[in-house]
């Protein structure tokens, strides 16, 4: 009895394992890219792909699968951005990725890259009379979406001075934000003896409001030569965390209140006498 029960339990486990395998979709679509945060007016490349394994072409005569796509960039209100994706439509090979370029608009905000894939399958069969007939299956349509954020770049700038007395050529540096190196911020500086230069980097980020700190370091992580400005920490703000505008507004409000109170206090009180009913 125990043996039978154990066997039933094993068969049940096997059945449970087979259920998700049988339920896996045989067609697959995806959008992939290196970044989902883009600077206003910048371009970013993405890979789109559609794979369909529903059909074994060896089992069909004159089998053909035509895969096409339509891509667009829409804003938060659902409106399509003009010239937001290039190429915006075309053909795909089954299981082969293709690049599309998203051109970010000049207005910061939330956007969505929408790609609609369509697979049309045709093949021939032989009817009861022995004649070939072309079969067109219902088109397979899949839609994939990728949320994107378009932001205003934050310009980080620092002035470097050569205090070594010797000219420096091809000296590489990186920008760091909150101690983390920004990999694509590599900058080469050339300084004359006792010369000065200002370098900048446009940091594209969707980091939340708050206080941040940046500095510049040499490629080797240290200061092998005497350059003033390397390693110096600079504080900046995203949002209104410095409260400067709030303080200024509060000061203006207080000044206006003082003026109104002084005017009310100094305003003379007029005596119009008793009402007629009391005369």
């Amino acid at each position: 009895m125990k043996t039978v029960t154990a066997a039933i339990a094993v068969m049940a486990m096997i059945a449970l394992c087979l259920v998700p395998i049988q339920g896996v979709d045989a067609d697959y679509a995806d959008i992939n890219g290196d970044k989902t945060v883009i600077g206003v007016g910048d371009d970013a490349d993405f890979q789109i792909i559609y794979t369909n394994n529903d059909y074994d072409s060896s089992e069909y005569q004159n089998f053909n699968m035509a895969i096409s796509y339509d891509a667009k960039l829409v804003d938060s209100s659902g409106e399509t951005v003009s010239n937001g994706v290039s190429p915006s439509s075309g053909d795909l090979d089954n299981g082969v990725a293709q690049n599309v370029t998203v051109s970010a608009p000049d207005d910061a905000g939330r956007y969505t890259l929408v790609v609609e894939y369509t697979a049309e399958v045709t093949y021939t069969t032989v009817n009861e009379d022995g004649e070939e007939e072309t079969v067109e299956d219902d088109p397979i349509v899949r839609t994939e979406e990728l949320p994107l954020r378009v932001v205003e770049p934050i310009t980080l700038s620092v002035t470097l001075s050569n205090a070594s007395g010797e000219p420096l050529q091809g000296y590489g540096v990186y920008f760091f934000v909150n101690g983390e190196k920004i990999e694509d911020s590599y900058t080469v500086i050339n300084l004359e003896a006792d010369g000065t230069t200002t370098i900048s980097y446009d940091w594209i980020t969707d980091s939340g409001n708050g206080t941040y700190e940046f500095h510049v370091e040499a490629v080797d992580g240290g200061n092998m030569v005497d350059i003033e400005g390397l390693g110096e920490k600079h504080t900046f703000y995203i949002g209104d965390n410095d409260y400067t505008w709030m303080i200024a507004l509060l000061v203006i409000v207080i000044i206006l209140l003082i003026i109104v109170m002084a005017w009310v206090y100094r305003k003379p009180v007029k005596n119009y006498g008793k009402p007629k009913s009391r005369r």
Side-chain angles (χ1 to χ4, degrees), residues 156 172-187 201 203-205 213-222 233:
L156 309 178
V173 296
Y174 280 102
F175 281 81
F176 287 71
V177 175
N178 286 356
E180 182 177 350
K181 182 170 70 173
I182 305 176
E183 294 295 340
D184 65 347
S185 68
Y186 178 75
T187 304
Y201 171 73
W203 188 40
I204 298 173
T205 179
E213 192 175 69
F214 81 93
H215 69 279
V216 173
E217 284 187 13
V219 170
D220 57 11
K233 304 295 178 64

Side-chain angles (χ1 to χ4, degrees), residues 2-279:
K2 292 182 177 180
T3 303
V4 174
T5 303
I8 293 174
V10 171
M11 292 177 65
M13 292 177 63
I14 293 175
L16 288 174
C17 292
L18 289 176
V19 168
I21 295 177
Q22 294 173 349
V24 173
D25 291 337
D27 67 323
Y28 168 80
D30 190 33
I31 307 172
N32 188 31
D34 294 333
K35 56 185 178 180
T36 57
V37 182
I38 313 172
V40 293
D42 289 345
D43 293 338
D45 292 330
F46 296 87
Q47 293 76 46
I48 61 174
I49 188 171
Y50 177 82
T51 303
N52 189 302
N53 296 318
D54 279 332
Y55 297 86
D56 184 353
S57 59
S58 63
E59 298 179 359
Y60 298 87
Q61 294 182 5
N62 301 320
F63 177 83
N64 180 66
M65 179 182 292
I67 304 172
S68 60
Y69 76 91
D70 287 289
K72 60 183 178 180
L73 184 69
V74 299
D75 59 22
S76 57
S77 61
E79 297 294 327
T80 299
V81 177
S82 178
N83 301 319
V85 184
S86 178
S88 59
S89 62
D91 298 325
L92 298 173
D93 292 327
N94 194 8
V96 179
Q98 180 169 310
N99 285 346
V100 295
T101 300
V102 170
S103 298
D106 294 332
D107 296 325
R110 297 186 181 277
Y111 295 82
T112 304
L113 172 58
V114 181
V115 181
E116 182 179 272
Y117 305 86
T118 303
E120 298 178 319
V121 175
T122 60
Y123 51 89
T124 58
T125 60
V126 179
N127 61 24
E128 296 178 351
D129 298 328
E131 299 175 345
E132 287 190 351
E133 293 182 344
T134 299
V135 178
E136 295 183 7
D137 285 354
D138 292 335
I140 303 168
V141 179
R142 290 284 299 271
T143 301
E144 294 293 319
E145 298 183 354
L146 180 66
L148 302 174
R149 183 78 181 271
V150 176
V151 300
E152 292 283 353
I154 299 172
T155 301
L156 309 178
S157 181
V158 64
T159 298
L160 302 176
S161 300
N162 183 3
S164 67
E166 299 291 335
L168 298 172
Q169 301 294 323
Y171 197 72
V173 296
Y174 280 102
F175 281 81
F176 287 71
V177 175
N178 286 356
E180 182 177 350
K181 182 170 70 173
I182 305 176
E183 294 295 340
D184 65 347
S185 68
Y186 178 75
T187 304
V188 175
I189 61 174
N190 298 305
L191 284 168
E192 299 296 334
D194 299 322
T196 298
T197 187
T198 299
I199 59 174
S200 300
Y201 171 73
D202 287 337
W203 188 40
I204 298 173
T205 179
D206 62 348
S207 299
N209 293 348
T211 303
Y212 294 81
E213 192 175 69
F214 81 93
H215 69 279
V216 173
E217 284 187 13
V219 170
D220 57 11
N223 299 332
M224 301 300 293
V225 295
D226 190 6
I227 298 180
E228 296 179 355
L230 285 181
E232 292 182 4
K233 304 295 178 64
H234 306 271
T235 301
F236 66 99
Y237 304 92
I238 296 180
D240 298 308
N241 293 62
D242 58 347
Y243 301 110
T244 301
W245 71 271
M246 294 182 65
I247 295 173
L249 181 61
L250 183 60
V251 170
I252 293 174
V253 171
I254 292 174
I255 293 174
L256 290 175
L257 286 174
I258 293 174
I259 294 173
V260 171
M261 291 176 64
W263 179 78
V264 172
Y265 179 79
R266 294 171 58 88
K267 183 180 179 181
V269 178
K270 295 182 179 180
N271 186 1
Y272 294 97
K274 296 180 180 181
K276 293 182 179 179
S277 59
R278 296 185 181 180
R279 293 179 180 175

